[in-house]
Amino acid sequence: MPKKRIAASIIAVLLINGIPTYAMAGFTAKKFLGWEKSAQDSFLQISISMAGVITTQTHTKMADCIDNWYFKDDETRFRRNKTILETMAKYLDHHPAGIVAASIERACGKFSDRD
């Protein structure tokens, strides 16, 4: 298990250092919804991919759930993006990453739970 935690920590550091300025304070769902659809789709897919990669090291059952919940096929991904965007429209002052995380937890359980 220590190797998995080290790998997850390294992945997290790499991802955090690579996050552009949209991750800074003040970035809201309202601003995100003003982006082009292709940029929104890319953000969602990358965010959920990152969650999936990290959970493969720490929460294998959750990683399987994320993969099945979001990446099953193109139609599934389209539906999930639509639902997440609808949620963002309800919570305009919240950070998009928080809404994505909440959506994943609603579907697959808490990140704090362990396998």
Side-chain angles (χ1 to χ4, degrees), residues 28-36 40 85 88-90 92:
T28 63
K30 183 177 182 176
K31 290 179 183 178
F32 176 82
L33 292 173
W35 287 9
E36 292 182 18
Q40 292 173 351
L85 294 173
M88 286 188 189
K90 294 177 186 176
L92 293 173

Side-chain angles (χ1 to χ4, degrees), residues 41-91:
D41 290 345
S42 179
F43 176 93
L44 295 175
Q45 187 166 344
I46 290 168
S47 297
I48 296 169
S49 293
M50 288 189 301
V53 167
I54 291 169
T55 57
T56 63
Q57 301 299 308
T58 60
H59 301 70
T60 54
K61 290 178 187 172
M62 187 175 197
D64 291 340
C65 179
I66 292 169
D67 188 47
N68 199 27
W69 171 74
Y70 188 80
F71 293 103
K72 183 176 181 180
D73 54 44
D74 289 341
E75 179 59 30
T76 298
R77 199 166 41 255
F78 173 80
R79 285 193 324 269
R80 299 301 179 233
N81 284 355
K82 184 176 184 279
T83 300
I84 293 168
L85 294 173
E86 289 169 353
T87 302
M88 286 188 189
K90 294 177 186 176
Y91 300 98

